[in-house]
Amino acid sequence: MTIIPPTHLVDRAGVSWIAYLVTTQLGWLFREQETSDIGIDAQIEVVEEGDIPSGRSRRGTGHLLAVQIKSGMSQFAAPADRGWWFYCDAAHVAYWRNYSLPVVLMLFDPESELVFWQHVNGETLIPAGKSYKVLVPHDQRLDTSCSGELGAPARRRAAGRAVIPNPSRGSSVRQADYELASAIDLLAVAMGKTLDEAEPQDFTLAFASRLRALYRRVGAPALDLLTAKTGYKTAQISSYLSGTTRPSRGRVVAIVQALIECAHEKEIKVPGHLMDVRAWERMWRVANRPGMQKMVKNKARKGASPL
């Protein structure tokens, strides 16, 4: 019989409750990390301001926060005048400081079902012997009132990044079809096939070749770095780049955005069409739909131009 410790249930309750509050109170996106816990449990994407109950569609902003979640009454065992002290070791602090996104700490109280938060940065981290401590204020609750202050570091970080072009939908479609038509044409020649003989699996490989091209263009960053930015396992990312596994549309977007971020951090200039997320989504869609592949084959025969 499998034995489930109480702490596991409390930890899962904390993650689930925070995900619920983020989506219902703030109207933001919550993405739990899939890797083992090494200091970051989830990422939150800020969504443009607007009245949640209105039913009006809102847009994601691409402004991200990394979240460390701690659950249970033991997290509130060190009270302070304005809240509670959270103690952390030097290894976690080093990881947070090197993380590519602003980090926020969230404490879940299972008795009151309240969540309290604090940004983790040079101002809030206080040395405490060989470790550190962070004051989590009791007035910083995760609810509708905290969106401005909670999301501020993500907005500031995004403001300093390279501007990603946002071309028209038609332009993105033409560029995507051109990229995939060129890739499948080259792949067919390399495999000794004609375009008519190209199969759906070949389109998966052609798409992977485009993804590898972007990967190399931004300096072939370590897979561990991409894992930290996306939450996907290194083996998964490697299989997506090789074409042995077909990623979901959401994962393609996350990996492309992570690669663009790597380019910005290294001050590597990337052609605008490679930063067009909509074009990547189009290529992914074609690579997964045999009916659309006939159209791309025709464009490959004609030597289609993106213009």
Side-chain angles (χ1 to χ4, degrees):
M1 179 181 295
T2 301
I3 299 176
I4 302 175
T7 53
H8 174 77
L9 297 178
V10 173
D11 289 344
R12 294 309 309 164
V15 173
S16 299
W17 187 243
I18 288 173
Y20 175 77
L21 292 179
V22 166
T23 54
T24 61
Q25 298 293 300
L26 300 177
W28 294 358
L29 302 177
F30 181 93
R31 303 184 182 100
E32 185 177 355
Q33 297 281 71
E34 297 181 359
T35 54
S36 58
D37 180 9
I38 52 175
I40 298 298
D41 297 295
Q43 290 182 3
I44 293 174
E45 179 174 349
V46 177
V47 174
E48 68 178 4
E49 297 297 329
D51 185 17
I52 298 174
S54 70
R56 182 180 66 85
S57 297
R58 298 186 295 158
R59 294 181 181 276
T61 62
H63 303 168
L64 304 176
L65 291 169
V67 187
Q68 170 77 84
I69 298 172
K70 293 295 182 179
S71 304
M73 298 310 300
S74 62
Q75 307 303 330
F76 301 89
D81 291 339
R82 295 178 43 241
W84 303 270
W85 290 113
F86 175 81
Y87 288 85
C88 42
D89 57 48
H92 273 79
V93 170
Y95 183 77
W96 291 334
R97 282 177 166 169
N98 290 323
Y99 206 74
S100 61
L101 299 175
V103 176
V104 60
L105 170 68
M106 292 188 177
L107 305 183
F108 170 62
D109 180 345
E111 294 184 359
S112 65
E113 294 187 337
L114 294 176
V115 177
F116 304 88
W117 60 271
Q118 176 63 286
H119 294 299
V120 179
N121 53 43
E123 295 180 359
T124 60
L125 284 167
I126 300 175
K130 294 183 179 181
S131 60
Y132 291 81
K133 61 181 181 179
V134 176
L135 177 65
V136 181
H138 52 64
D139 59 352
Q140 290 189 182
R141 295 183 181 181
L142 183 59
D143 55 30
T144 55
S145 66
C146 74
S147 62
E149 187 176 358
L150 177 61
R155 297 185 184 95
R156 287 196 296 269
R157 179 72 64 89
R161 291 179 181 169
V163 176
I164 298 177
N166 185 27
S168 68
R169 181 177 180 80
S171 176
S172 296
V173 168
R174 288 192 296 274
Q175 182 63 54
D177 290 350
Y178 167 75
E179 291 286 334
L180 202 54
S182 299
I184 195 64
D185 190 21
L186 290 173
L187 182 65
V189 171
M191 298 177 68
K193 293 183 176 181
T194 65
L195 282 173
D196 289 331
E197 293 173 328
E199 302 173 352
Q201 178 59 30
D202 297 328
F203 275 85
T204 297
L205 295 174
F207 176 82
S209 74
R210 294 296 84 200
L211 197 58
R212 288 196 302 275
L214 175 60
Y215 174 74
R216 292 191 295 268
R217 187 67 178 77
V218 302
L223 296 185
D224 287 344
L225 178 59
L226 295 182
T227 290
K229 290 180 180 295
T230 63
Y232 308 143
K233 296 178 180 179
T234 56
Q236 291 175 317
I237 297 174
S238 178
S239 69
Y240 300 152
L241 290 171
S242 67
T244 56
T245 303
R246 182 182 300 171
S248 67
R249 182 190 62 82
R251 294 195 173 203
V252 169
V253 171
I255 292 171
V256 168
Q257 290 177 332
L259 290 172
I260 294 171
E261 186 175 314
C262 288
H264 179 64
E265 292 169 353
K266 296 180 180 180
E267 298 184 347
I268 297 174
K269 292 184 178 181
V270 178
H273 69 274
L274 290 179
M275 296 194 293
D276 184 353
V277 175
R278 185 183 288 161
W280 283 101
E281 291 179 307
R282 167 75 176 188
M283 281 193 287
W284 174 86
R285 191 175 296 111
V286 173
N288 284 274
R289 296 183 181 178
M292 300 176 69
Q293 293 168 9
K294 294 180 181 179
M295 170 269 300
V296 170
K297 290 179 180 179
N298 289 332
K299 290 188 176 183
R301 293 189 188 94
K302 298 176 182 177
S305 168
L307 302 177

